Amino acid sequence: MTITGQAPRRLLGFTLDGQPFYSIRGAEQGTSTTGDIVTQTIDGQPINNIWAEFQQTLDIVNNRRSAVANLLGFTTTRSADAVAQTVGENEFERASEFGEPTGLRATEAHLVLGYPFHDYDKATRFTWRFLRDATQEQIESVHQRMLHADNKLTTTAILKRLLDPTAGFNADGRTVYGLWNNDGTVPPKHLFSSFAGTHNHYMVSGATTVDGKDIDDLYSNVAEHGYLDVPGSRALLFVNPAQMDAVARIRVTDEENPAYDFIPSAGAAPYLTSEQIVGDVAPADYNGLKIAGSYGPTWITETGFMPPGYLLLVATGGAGSTRNPVGIREHIKPEAQGLRLLSGANLQYPLVDSFYTRGFGVGVRHRGAAAVMQIKASGSYDIPTL
């Protein structure tokens, strides 16, 4: 239908001559069918089996955690803990025939230490076409990269907290501490050792190369608080590979006059020596952590997570021990703990837009159970960038 002198009008649902237009489409072009569902990869691996395998892998990762996190940290769901900052200061008293003994109570040796909490996540951004044309190895390579990124996240967070003396606050207003750092807080007395508010566990070596005296000083700074007196405790020294060569060359005959020789561990490459080794050789592995060797009572491990030019000596009580220096806070709900893989909105393709998430936070739990040294000739301690 047209009107004289005017341009033709186009009506919705009608042709130009006014007839109804019945060929409006959509159902056969916009509706998913069973033929559209991606059931397997291009090499024949079922997608649902890969999804289940990823979930099982995460269970293993969460149960074992990383070796560094296990030996440096203790997991908790609390916002803060009141923790004694020394070991073994409680005493019995002589009993009387008619009196009652005094009770054991918390003293000023206990400090309230806060733990922050933050959520972290990362998406995979798979599409159904990628899943259709990808091999199982291509999909799993992304999963492995996610596991590595999570290990980097947690390990770096723990080391960053130990290497940074700056205090902060969590969401509940609790102070999140670093190690003892000349902040005016007086560490509690241990045996014959007493301390002042200037006590500092962030040290500078006074030279540009690592020597045995540096390790001696780190060990003494931790041992004087009693953390290495407890049976089962172990001194671990974390070094960057850039410092490992200098550590491996430490000998008692050096001009610096170190107290011990460096002795390669049982897992070291074969080597020749004209001298007899007295005592036990350090193991190749300690709770999943590779040990390079020993210096006296200290076992040494090298890791690329440590910044070059810094040494970290820690008193560990073992995997997940409450004596470990760092508290690792997780969510109070068990189902929200650890590294999780959540499916995307499209339930037909759980890997499409799926994402990994972890919620945690770290704070120093025992301020005297670790000590840090920066290797430089002079000046004050510099906070490293991790």
Side-chain angles (χ1 to χ4, degrees):
M1 178 177 64
T2 61
I3 300 176
T4 304
Q6 296 184 4
R9 299 176 62 187
R10 296 185 180 184
L11 302 177
L12 182 63
F14 293 87
T15 63
L16 292 178
D17 59 359
Q19 299 300 316
F21 181 66
Y22 294 109
S23 58
I24 298 176
R25 299 184 179 182
E28 70 276 20
Q29 294 181 348
T31 302
S32 298
T33 65
T34 56
D36 295 329
I37 299 177
V38 180
T39 59
Q40 61 184 23
T41 61
I42 198 170
D43 55 352
Q45 299 299 320
I47 294 293
N48 285 339
N49 288 359
I50 296 177
W51 174 263
E53 177 188 339
F54 285 1
Q55 297 291 354
Q56 293 171 0
T57 305
L58 295 184
D59 288 340
I60 296 174
V61 170
N62 289 326
N63 288 334
R64 295 182 179 176
R65 302 181 64 87
S66 72
V68 175
N70 274 336
L71 293 173
L72 297 188
F74 164 80
T75 56
T76 180
T77 60
R78 294 181 290 274
S79 171
D81 279 326
V83 183
Q85 296 301 296
T86 188
V87 179
E89 286 301 300
N90 298 311
E91 299 179 355
F92 274 73
E93 60 185 10
R94 177 176 292 184
S96 65
E97 184 175 358
F98 303 102
E100 292 186 3
T102 58
L104 184 67
R105 63 182 181 86
T107 66
E108 66 276 2
H110 290 74
L111 184 66
V112 178
L113 303 111
Y115 312 119
F117 185 88
H118 303 286
D119 287 297
Y120 302 86
D121 55 23
K122 194 72 172 179
T124 55
R125 296 289 186 257
F126 288 125
T127 67
W128 68 269
R129 287 186 177 180
F130 173 83
L131 296 175
R132 179 192 64 185
D133 298 333
T135 64
Q136 181 180 6
E137 287 76 13
Q138 289 175 314
I139 299 174
E140 289 184 342
S141 69
V142 178
H143 179 63
Q144 292 298 326
R145 289 168 63 187
M146 284 292 188
L147 297 182
H148 176 75
D150 175 68
N151 183 41
K152 177 181 178 181
L153 170 68
T154 54
T155 302
T156 301
I158 292 172
L159 292 177
K160 184 176 182 180
R161 178 63 278 178
L162 287 170
L163 298 177
D164 188 347
T166 308
F169 298 92
N170 64 11
D172 298 322
R174 299 292 190 178
T175 303
V176 181
Y177 290 98
L179 304 173
W180 298 118
N181 58 70
N182 186 24
D183 61 359
T185 306
V186 179
K189 178 182 177 182
H190 175 68
L191 300 179
F192 292 102
S193 298
S194 57
F195 310 94
T198 57
H199 187 64
N200 199 344
H201 278 224
Y202 295 92
M203 311 160 67
V204 172
S205 66
T208 57
T209 305
V210 179
D211 57 48
K213 189 175 184 304
D214 297 330
I215 305 177
D216 293 335
D217 291 343
L218 285 167
Y219 186 93
S220 297
N221 212 355
V222 174
E224 63 186 355
H225 295 280
Y227 289 102
L228 293 171
D229 297 340
V230 183
S233 293
R234 167 61 57 188
L236 290 178
L237 180 70
F238 293 83
V239 303
N240 183 277
Q243 272 70 57
M244 192 62 227
D245 183 64
V247 171
R249 296 177 184 275
I250 296 176
R251 297 292 183 271
V252 173
T253 55
D254 292 345
E255 293 181 1
E256 293 82 7
N257 194 26
Y260 305 97
D261 293 317
F262 172 83
I263 305 297
S265 72
Y271 63 97
L272 293 173
T273 178
S274 59
E275 300 176 347
Q276 180 181 359
I277 297 176
V278 179
D280 296 330
V281 174
D285 178 275
Y286 176 59
N287 285 304
L289 191 68
K290 185 178 179 180
I291 302 300
S294 62
Y295 174 83
T298 302
W299 290 352
I300 301 169
T301 180
E302 58 177 315
T303 172
F305 287 114
M306 276 292 294
Y310 289 81
L311 306 177
L312 170 65
L313 191 140
V314 174
T316 177
S321 171
T322 57
R323 297 197 305 272
N324 292 344
V326 174
I328 305 173
R329 181 183 176 186
E330 294 188 311
H331 199 277
I332 193 171
K333 293 183 178 179
E335 63 271 18
Q337 296 174 1
L339 178 62
R340 298 180 297 150
L341 175 59
L342 304 183
S343 62
N346 191 338
L347 298 181
Q348 288 182 337
Y349 316 115
L351 284 176
V352 173
D353 291 331
S354 61
F355 63 96
Y356 295 73
T357 178
R358 179 185 285 278
F360 79 107
V362 296
V364 169
R365 178 179 173 85
H366 292 284
R367 302 188 69 186
V372 184
M373 179 173 288
Q374 182 182 5
I375 305 302
K376 70 174 187 177
S378 61
S380 58
Y381 178 86
D382 299 317
I383 301 172
T385 300
L386 295 180

